[in-house]
Structures are given as structure tokens and as C-alpha cells.
Amino acid sequence: MSDTAAAARLGNHQATLIATAERELGTVASVVLGDRFASLRKEQEGEREYFILEDARGGKANLWLDAVPMEAGALARTATNTTSNQYIVHVSDRLPSDHLPRVLAHEVGELIAVRDRSAQGLAPVRESLLHPEAEVRNQAELSSQDHGRIGELNWLAATCTDTELSEPQRFEARADFSALLDRCGLRPTAAMSETETLGSELKAAKARTYASWNFLSEDAQDLLEALAHPIEHLNPADAAALQASRDAALRAQRQVEAFIGRRDVSMPMPGYDQNGLPLPRDQLGAVAEQWADYRAQVSEGTVRGLEGQLAAGQLPRRRVVIGGGASLTGRDPDALLVDAVGRWHLDPGEGIVQSADQDRDLAQWMGVDPYGTVDDPRRRVPIEAVRIWEDHLATQGDVVNGHARLRLGRDGELLAEVQPFDRDGKERADPLRVACDGVPIIATGLTPEVVPGMPRRDGPVESRSEAVRLIGERLRELEGREVAGAREMRDCLVQAERGGVDARTVLGALEDSPWKETLKAGLDGTGASRIDNCFTALAATEKWEAAREAAPGRVLLGDEVAESRFDPHAAQHWIVAGSGGTGVANAEIILLQNPEARVTIVGNDPPSALMHQVQFPQMRKDYGPKDKGGDGRLTFRRCEVGAIETYQDETGRTCFRVPYTEKDEAGITHQGTVEADGYITSLGRTNPLPPALQELAGEVRDRGGEISGDLLFDRDDQYIGYGLTFSVEGREHRVDVDGAASWQLPREVFPPESGIQRELNAMGVRGLPAETGNAAPGFSPIARQSALRARAVAAAQEGDATAVQRRSRIPERWRRPEAGTETTRSAGGPENPPPSPERAAGADRGPRPHARPTQAPDLTDREPNSATPQPTQTPDVAEQDPKAPIPRPSPAAKVPGSDLWLRGVPTDRSGRSAAPAQQPQQLPPDHQRPGPGLGMGD
């Protein structure tokens, strides 16, 4: 099958799944909620539809449905935004349609449980009860995952009694219900001869039944009483069906255990005490300082090791990672990590802008418990917890606190130039050189911000550096046409840009000669407009640099505020240019740190996504208009922000002015001017190469080389960053970019006119709609992305050629299906889908009574783990490598599941707490480490 045909097939199936979900959701909700169900109605917002689910107690929930690509083994995922009461249910676009109602039943049961608990401000139940390995206590409580399983049981029981279905269909549902009892621990599985074990399991099953009984429907209660017995006490048909299910599950479990053994590592989870419990909230600050001190000592030890090798005339050769943050979930402990300890270590705010509910998946991907850091699940995750998590992960191998950049060596080899920080945070004068082994990874975080006044339309230019590059490229064309002085002017611009010359000098060099018109000569309208925009960008930068010079400390980039590199008392009235998330976060920092300050945010209306986060609604309540309960220190003005405007007040002090036009509630237009003594720009991000690669790019271009790029996906079409290839003098050097930086594609490699950045943005929004309160470059999504990347890279290193996919475009599966593309095929999903592993494994067991063509999936464990089959993720056969090596189980003794976050394998949410039952001491060791780990594993 061609790629185009496969994409069309999957697109059609996505539409089918979405239509099926819309058709079945009302029935599913009524079964799962029972008497609590009141109504379900569809609403429209723009081009998207959603559902409002109401229960008899007056509660509501907004449900958004979609079918999207998911990682192997995942059937569904629900984002629970209890801040704005939005619930986004995503199902795998490879899920057969006839399995969808059961999946929805699980998700609805779980999200209602999350909503109910959060509405009372209660912390979640961290350990699931409905699992055969779960400990049964006297005061047994059900987790949200347990309620998802009960939703499944109620749905299957309703299916069993649905007289409109055929007898084989009803029996299949009965068999699935029976199999689910095993996985919920509601039936003893020991043989009758194992008297002691059987008695213990029977007692635990009764306790779980007692805890679940009131949440089960009458049909489910009746079926439970009929089937929750040892297999020896079931009638022959039920016993045969149950035995077949157990045999298939055992075979699938062995397959998954082999997959998990693909990478033999074991690391403890960050952020827990010696008893495996989350660190107490009142200790987070002190423990964060301890971890920072320990990290500094590990950094110093690593630097001493590098210095020792260099002094002995040896060039260290290491795998190199530059940058950290949430991407540390994919941290290779054998790699040299160079991280500037930025962003979250410097942010003076209260914490990340999402709540513990919104970031609950951190338990799955990072191995941490966000709920343990807050006293209410709707509160923001505190910044100290983030610092502890990152420092713990960073110190699992050699780390240098500092900056690094990649360079070409004398013989064309790839080197990392490392500049460590001292204890005061200052860079050392002399860098250390390390030879790069393999593909370096860059994860240096968000890209630089836009300066006010940059042209955004008709051949946009976003920065001074881009303007110089575009003019340089045009001069190269003119040089080829032998235009006098073109080469000299291009060399002048390159030297000025690399030397940090101010924009006034660069602009002056161009305007003191007839170059502007010469550059435009012979170009079409768009090309000429872009040259004009280059000069506009340089002029805007000139004004910005002049304002910073005239008012030091009062003209700031938003990142300077976010990283606490400013004095909030330097001004009493601050303009924040930009009304997006970064601008709002900067305004909050100022309002918190200077109780006398006022802030006016200027720009377009704040994006609706902000209303789905914790931070923004609370800010408006606390600091908004006094007539609405705020203190009046925060104001919004709608305007198009141009280049920075300055004026001198009556004392001769430089101040700032922004004109605005806005409409009041009556629709009357008002014009005015905001004047302030401080100015912060938070207008968006530029798209350059990461700073760690800019020197390398210049060297490659100087030697006549080329830079090309591609997008990186795993075999499940999950985005894991972008890759760059630096081709020079007959050699190729590859570098991969991960983390938040990977969502801002460098324009010199991925031209804006290609539309790739737009496609990437659309994919990010589809995967994480605004209603989640999150975004693709956010902390929790990057933790997931980097964990998936670690898994894919590990598989590729073991010879799996399909593990990492390099592509020039976004996979077609990520494009929204057009209206009206629902297929008419029934139940089976994609045409002729391959059988699930459970079904394939059971092909030799003989006929099963009243069996349907496909077997329902096991939804009790919806993510892959060491005891969970992956029944319905049916990968496209054309995308698989039939000769991939068979992985071996890991022999390492470890806390169960404690290393899964590193490999990107989701932990078992169904039966284990976010923290292990027993955990090594998690506070930093006595600030001692047995020598630097240089060359560890070599």
C-alpha cells in the first residue's frame, strides 16, 4: 500500500472513530453514570464541536473528542482540566471502532472521578485498588483509574443484557467481563489445591468487591455474583472462555516483558523521601537548596575530570547533551550533560502555570508525583519541586553547570566547547574542549523573543540576525552577478553580526550607500517587500537598543524577567508588550515582587487558552479592576504593538509610550496612550538556530558547506524533535534538537514559505488543545516527548532501523480529517486490520464458543508496562522492520517500575503508586561522590 493510500485510510478511520464516539457517547455516559446521568448535548465553538455532560447532582463537564496518533500500546488518554472544567478524550486512531464504546466507558468513568474529587479539593488516591497486586487495606478507597475500570464493567454488563445484540455478541461481552475480573483482582486466580493462596486472594477479592459495590450497576452486580468464582466453579462455557483469555494474556505479557528489557538501566524516581513518599511541601525549599548544592559539587567533579584528561594531552570523547529542563526525562546517564541551570532554576514566580490535575501525566513520564507538592489538586505545581526533579535527573551522570557550543575542529571533527560556571554563576574564561561521540542533543529551551516593531506580514522578518542573513544571501546573489562591492559588503555584515556590533552601525553601513535600492532591483513584489522589511527590522532593533541604553534596567526582554535578571522596583508602572502566556507570567512576577507597581499589558486580546490555566484567571481576580474585586494594578489595552517609543518626562527621565484603540462594552471606540517608566517585550519567539549551534553554522558556511534539516518522529508518529545535518568538506555531522526548542524550527533551515512550522504548530494544537491548559512546548508535554525520544533512540542504537523516522513533512495522520470523510465500514476499523497480539497468540488454541472476529482489548492497563499486553495497537505493517532484533529481558534488580520513565515506557498506572513502595534515600548524599564519572560506561 502506498504512503498516500495508507494516510487516506487512516484519515478516514479517524473520521469514523470521531463519528462513532459522538454517536455512542450518550449511551456510554448513561450506562457509566447510571442514575446520576441527566443529559448530554452537543455544542459548537468555531469549527470544533464538544459535548456538555450534566449529572443529576448539577455537575457539568465539557468533553472534547478526537482520534489521534498515539504511542504503541496506548488506547486512550484523557486530559483532565479541572480548572476550567474541560476534559479532552483522545483515542488512538488505530483503535478498531467496535472497541471504542468500552474505551469511552473507561475514560468517562475516570474523568468523572477526577472531577468529583477535585471539586472537593481532595488529593487523588495514589494507588489503585482494583488490581491483583494492589495492597488491600482496612480503609480501601478507589482511584480514578479504578473508576475507569468500573465504567468498563458497567458497560460490558449492559452489553451482556442488550437484547438487540446477537447471542454471540452478548456472550463475547460476558467473556470480556469475566476476563476483566481477573485484572481487577475481583476473583481469586489460584488453583483450588493452593489452599493458603486461594484463601488470601478470596479475602482480597471480597474487600475489593465491597469497596466497588455501590459504584457497580445492577447488571454488573448480578454478573459479578455469577462469575467472580474460581475457574473450577464456573460452567464449562464460562470456564473455557476464561482459560483462553488467561492463556492469551500470559503470552502477551511475555512479549511486553521482552520489550521492556530492551534497555538495561535502573534509576530511582526523583522527588521522594527514603520511604518512597513525596517530599513534604514545607520541605521543598530546603531540599531544593540541598540538591542545587549537590549538583554544583557533581559539576565541579566533572570539570576536574575533564581538566585532568586535557592536562594529560588526552581529548575527552563523550556523548554530549546541551540543555536540560523537562527534557531530562530522556537523560542518558552515560552522556556528558552541559546545562546552564536556567529557566525553572531562575524563575521567581510561584510555579508552572498548570495545576497538579493538569500535569498528572508527570507521574507516568517523569516518575514524579505532582499531587504530593500541593495541598489542593487544582493548585499550581511549585517551582521548588521542579528544581528538585531536574537536579535529581541531571546528577544521574556527569554534568557541567555552564554553557556549551559546538565547533569544528582542525580536521573537521565535531567538538563541544564547554564553559563551566563557578559557584557565583559566572562563566570561566577558558573553555574545555570535548570531542563529540555520536549525535549531540541540543535542548536549550525556548528561543529568543521578538523585539517590538518587527514586520509580521508580506515577507515577515523576525529579528536583526534574520535581516542580516537575508541581506547577506541577496548580496551573495549579486556577487555572483559581479555587482561591484557586493562581496565586501557581505563580509562587513557577517563580521558585524558575529562581533556584536549594534544595529545602528549595521544600518548605517547599508544606508550610507545605495545598497537598499540595489538589493531590491530585479526582485518581484514579495522579494522587494522582504528587503524593505529587513531594513524595518534593523530600524526597530536600533530603537530597541537605543532605549535599553537610555534606560538601563527598565527596558527588558521577557526572559530577563522570567529568569529574575532584573529589579522589579526599577519602575513603578510597567508596560508589558504582548498578551500571551509569557507576557501574563511576566506581569505576575512584577505584581508579586513589587506590591506598589502597576502593569499594563498591551497587545491583542489575551488568547482563550489562558482561561484554561490556573494562573491567568487568578491574576485577573487578584489584580484586575477594583469594581470586580481586584486591587486595580493590572490593566489590559488592545493595540497593535509597533517599535518602542520613548519620551522624556519633566525630570528628563526616559519613559515609554504606546498608543491604543479599543472598544468598550457598548461598542464605542476609544483611543488613548499608555505611558510608563518600564517596558517589557513578550511578543513571541523568534526561530533561529539554537545558540549552541550558531558558531558551528557560521564555520560550516565559511567553508562552503550546507545545513539541512528534517523532522524526527518515532515509529508511532510521535514527534521527538528535529535533526540537522551539517555537510562540510566531504563530512556530515548530525545534531538533534529536543525540548521546547524543537517546536521553533530555524527559519534558515526550514523556510517560512515551506509551511512546515505552521503544520508543526497545528499538530501541537491538535495533540494538546487549548482546553487542556497546556501546550506542546510546556513542561509536562516536553517530559513526555523526551521520554519517547529516549525509547526510540535506545531502540535505534540496538539496530532497529525504523525506531527513529526522519521526515520532511508532518505525517498525514496528524492532519484533521475533513468533514464528511467518515467511512461506511462497520465495526472493524481500518480495512482488514491485523489481529491483536492476544488474538494472534491464541490462534492455536482451537475455536472459542460464540467468538467474534476480533477480541476486545484489555483496558485495565491502557499503557504498556511490565505486566500488560498491548492488544489493539495495530501498526501499519509497511512501517515495521520484520528483522528487528528480539530484545532480552532485563536482569537488573530494581524497584518495580522505577526505571521505566527513563526509557519512555509508561509506568503501570493501574496497580502502582506514583512512588514505589520502598525507595532508596532520595536526599542528596552527603555532598560526596566517589570521584568524577568521566568515561563512565566506556
Side-chain angles (χ1 to χ4, degrees):
M1 180 182 295
S2 69
D3 291 343
T4 302
R9 177 173 60 83
L10 287 169
N12 288 340
H13 185 54
Q14 287 183 4
T16 299
L17 284 169
I18 295 169
T20 303
E22 293 179 352
R23 187 169 57 247
E24 298 287 348
L25 184 58
T27 304
V28 169
S30 65
V31 169
V32 173
L33 270 68
D35 293 340
R36 288 185 59 183
F37 178 74
S39 67
L40 181 79
R41 69 178 187 274
K42 182 187 293 188
E43 296 288 342
Q44 187 90 18
E45 183 174 289
E47 297 180 354
R48 300 169 60 209
E49 295 178 336
Y50 68 99
F51 295 85
I52 298 179
L53 173 63
E54 297 186 65
D55 66 30
R57 301 176 186 176
K60 294 182 179 180
N62 292 350
L63 271 63
W64 303 77
L65 304 173
D66 202 356
V68 299
M70 288 189 178
E71 65 274 10
L75 302 178
R77 183 180 299 111
T78 296
T80 55
N81 188 346
T82 54
T83 298
S84 59
N85 204 30
Q86 310 290 322
Y87 300 86
I88 293 81
V89 179
H90 282 172
V91 298
S92 170
D93 66 352
R94 294 190 188 276
L95 182 72
S97 298
D98 59 342
H99 297 160
L100 180 59
R102 179 176 169 184
V103 171
L104 291 176
H106 184 111
E107 301 304 312
V108 170
E110 183 170 338
L111 71 87
I112 292 298
V114 171
R115 188 202 63 174
D116 290 348
R117 182 260 309 150
S118 187
Q120 302 175 62
L122 299 176
V125 177
R126 294 172 59 239
E127 186 167 352
S128 295
L129 178 66
L130 299 187
H131 191 281
E133 297 177 7
E135 181 181 354
V136 178
R137 300 182 178 89
N138 292 331
Q139 298 295 327
E141 293 185 271
L142 300 181
S143 68
S144 58
Q145 182 77 351
D146 289 334
H147 283 283
R149 293 189 193 90
I150 289 175
E152 287 184 66
L153 289 169
N154 288 344
W155 173 258
L156 290 170
T159 305
C160 290
T161 58
D162 187 347
T163 56
E164 294 185 2
L165 297 178
S166 66
E167 183 65 26
Q169 288 176 314
R170 293 200 301 272
F171 185 84
E172 184 75 11
R174 179 184 180 95
D176 290 340
F177 185 100
S178 181
L180 187 53
L181 296 182
D182 271 9
R183 300 179 182 109
C184 291
L186 291 170
R187 171 205 287 127
T189 59
M192 296 294 292
S193 58
E194 301 174 4
T195 307
E196 185 175 347
T197 302
L198 181 66
S200 176
E201 290 183 356
L202 184 59
K203 181 179 179 181
K206 287 182 177 179
R208 295 187 183 100
T209 300
Y210 179 80
S212 308
W213 190 257
N214 290 335
F215 302 103
L216 293 167
S217 66
E218 290 185 5
D219 287 339
Q221 291 173 352
D222 292 343
L223 206 53
L224 179 67
E225 289 184 330
L227 294 174
H229 304 290
I231 191 170
E232 293 87 346
H233 291 176
L234 297 178
N235 66 50
D238 287 332
L242 178 58
Q243 188 60 55
S245 173
R246 287 178 176 178
D247 291 344
L250 181 60
R251 281 188 285 268
Q253 177 181 339
R254 288 169 180 162
Q255 294 173 7
V256 176
E257 285 178 341
F259 169 77
I260 288 181
R262 189 181 286 268
R263 188 175 182 191
D264 183 11
V265 294
S266 181
M267 295 177 66
M269 293 182 179
Y272 297 90
D273 65 15
Q274 62 270 27
N275 297 314
L277 299 174
L279 296 168
R281 287 183 291 274
D282 58 0
Q283 295 182 20
L284 290 176
V287 174
E289 291 182 6
Q290 289 179 309
W291 271 107
D293 189 27
Y294 177 61
R295 174 171 172 156
Q297 292 191 29
V298 174
S299 173
E300 291 166 358
T302 302
V303 169
R304 286 195 300 270
L306 294 171
E307 289 175 330
Q309 279 194 300
L310 290 167
Q314 302 173 2
L315 180 64
R317 187 171 189 82
R318 300 295 303 274
R319 292 202 294 274
V320 174
V321 177
I322 303 174
S327 68
L328 289 170
T329 53
R331 195 264 200 245
D332 179 352
D334 293 335
L336 172 65
L337 171 67
V338 185
D339 181 23
V341 200
R343 191 60 181 97
W344 297 115
H345 285 79
L346 303 175
D347 193 313
E350 292 184 353
I352 56 181
V353 299
Q354 288 82 27
S355 69
D357 271 341
Q358 291 169 327
D359 276 346
R360 65 178 185 151
D361 283 348
L362 282 172
Q364 174 184 345
W365 298 107
M366 197 177 232
V368 299
D369 182 7
Y371 291 110
T373 66
V374 294
D375 55 8
D376 187 305
R378 296 164 292 188
R379 293 189 183 277
R380 293 160 65 179
V381 176
I383 205 72
E384 294 85 1
V386 175
R387 292 169 182 164
I388 292 169
W389 300 339
E390 291 188 4
D391 286 346
H392 183 117
L393 299 179
T395 53
Q396 298 304 311
D398 287 343
V399 60
V400 174
N401 290 345
H403 290 298
R405 58 182 179 176
L406 299 184
R407 301 286 304 273
L408 289 177
R410 292 180 180 178
D411 298 325
E413 71 273 28
L414 192 59
L415 303 177
E417 230 174 40
V418 180
Q419 290 189 292
F421 294 160
D422 59 24
R423 285 287 182 130
D424 295 329
K426 297 179 180 179
E427 283 188 1
R428 289 180 26 166
D430 299 324
L432 306 173
R433 291 201 162 194
V434 176
C436 296
D437 182 15
V439 178
I441 300 171
I442 310 298
T444 45
L446 296 171
T447 54
E449 292 172 296
V450 173
V451 168
M454 290 293 156
R456 300 294 186 95
R457 301 181 180 90
D458 300 325
V461 179
E462 63 178 15
S463 66
R464 160 188 159 161
S465 62
E466 184 177 33
V468 171
R469 176 175 62 80
L470 292 172
I471 292 173
E473 290 174 357
R474 177 59 175 160
L475 286 168
R476 187 186 293 276
E477 293 177 9
L478 297 177
E479 178 187 345
R481 299 176 188 173
E482 299 183 351
V483 174
R487 178 177 181 180
E488 290 77 10
M489 178 54 69
R490 183 170 59 83
D491 290 344
C492 174
L493 291 179
V494 170
Q495 292 172 9
E497 188 66 15
R498 294 183 185 177
V501 174
D502 60 28
R504 182 187 299 113
T505 302
V506 175
L507 191 60
L510 289 165
E511 292 183 336
D512 287 345
S513 61
W515 276 112
K516 185 172 184 179
E517 294 307 315
T518 302
L519 290 166
K520 294 167 60 178
L523 295 177
D524 60 15
T526 301
S529 294
R530 179 158 289 172
I531 293 297
D532 283 335
N533 285 341
C534 288
F535 281 83
T536 301
L538 290 171
T541 307
E542 179 187 9
K543 287 185 176 182
W544 177 257
E545 292 174 355
R548 283 175 70 90
E549 183 178 346
R554 294 187 288 117
V555 182
L556 304 168
L557 295 169
D559 286 342
E560 293 176 288
V561 176
E563 296 176 1
S564 201
R565 294 184 280 123
F566 83 116
D567 178 6
H569 299 276
Q572 291 303 104
H573 183 192
W574 294 85
I575 291 172
V576 174
S579 55
T582 303
V584 166
N586 291 331
E588 180 191 47
I589 290 170
I590 292 170
L591 293 168
L592 285 171
Q593 296 201 350
N594 183 352
E596 305 300 321
R598 293 183 296 122
V599 175
T600 300
I601 297 179
V602 297
N604 296 320
D605 293 330
S608 60
L610 294 184
M611 295 305 301
H612 299 294
Q613 296 178 347
V614 181
Q615 179 191 50
F616 184 62
Q618 190 64 45
M619 270 186 66
R620 293 209 307 182
K621 178 181 178 182
D622 294 343
Y623 306 117
K626 291 183 178 180
D627 60 354
K628 295 184 178 180
D631 65 9
R633 294 194 292 139
L634 176 63
T635 307
F636 289 85
R637 296 298 182 196
R638 195 182 192 286
C639 67
E640 292 290 333
V641 179
I644 190 169
E645 296 183 18
T646 62
Y647 71 95
Q648 307 297 313
D649 68 7
E650 61 276 7
T651 67
R653 191 182 193 218
T654 297
C655 294
F656 313 97
R657 177 184 292 125
V658 176
Y660 67 86
T661 301
E662 61 184 12
K663 291 183 178 181
D664 60 20
E665 295 180 356
I668 301 174
T669 300
H670 300 272
Q671 294 182 338
T673 301
V674 179
E675 294 181 346
D677 55 343
Y679 190 104
I680 300 165
T681 180
S682 301
L683 290 168
R685 301 283 170 179
T686 58
N687 292 50
L689 285 166
L693 298 177
Q694 291 177 7
E695 191 86 11
L696 173 65
E699 293 174 336
V700 169
R701 286 192 289 263
D702 289 346
R703 300 188 189 187
E706 296 181 347
I707 308 170
S708 59
D710 40 33
L711 305 178
L712 305 179
F713 291 83
D714 67 11
R715 64 158 55 90
D716 300 312
D717 288 334
Q718 304 299 300
Y719 182 64
I720 56 175
Y722 68 82
L724 298 172
T725 301
F726 296 85
S727 304
V728 59
E729 297 175 344
R731 303 180 68 168
E732 287 189 348
H733 299 294
R734 292 205 59 88
V735 179
D736 290 347
V737 179
D738 188 16
S742 68
W743 288 87
Q744 299 290 131
L745 303 177
R747 288 155 69 106
E748 65 182 278
V749 181
F750 302 89
E753 54 270 20
S754 71
I756 297 176
Q757 180 68 64
R758 183 171 60 252
E759 293 177 8
L760 184 66
N761 294 343
M763 183 186 71
V765 171
R766 188 176 181 194
L768 282 165
E771 293 80 15
T772 63
N774 236 313
F779 188 84
S780 182
I782 289 301
R784 174 183 177 273
Q785 173 182 311
S786 298
L788 289 174
R789 173 186 162 76
R791 180 172 72 180
V793 170
Q797 289 173 345
E798 293 184 2
D800 186 344
T802 67
V804 176
Q805 310 273 340
R806 301 189 180 275
R807 302 186 176 178
S808 59
R809 310 295 300 193
I810 302 299
E812 288 292 329
R813 294 171 66 192
W814 279 107
R815 301 182 190 277
R816 288 190 182 277
E818 297 181 4
T821 57
E822 179 188 359
T823 62
T824 57
R825 289 191 302 272
S826 62
E831 54 189 8
N832 301 320
S836 69
E838 283 189 3
R839 175 64 61 188
D844 59 349
R845 66 175 181 257
R848 176 176 171 178
H850 311 292
R852 286 187 311 201
T854 58
Q855 181 170 330
D858 169 21
L859 306 184
T860 63
D861 301 302
R862 299 170 302 154
E863 316 286 356
N865 55 70
S866 61
T868 306
Q870 303 176 37
T872 61
Q873 195 71 18
T874 54
D876 193 332
V877 175
E879 296 177 357
Q880 303 304 305
D881 178 8
K883 298 181 180 180
I886 299 175
R888 58 182 176 81
S890 169
K894 58 183 181 294
V895 176
S898 65
D899 58 336
L900 300 187
W901 61 271
L902 181 69
R903 304 185 207 126
V905 180
T907 52
D908 182 359
R909 287 174 22 186
S910 61
R912 296 191 181 95
S913 162
Q918 296 293 327
Q919 181 70 25
Q921 172 72 16
Q922 293 301 298
L923 298 181
D926 297 328
H927 297 173
Q928 297 176 358
R929 180 169 175 167
L934 192 67
M936 180 172 54
D938 294 346

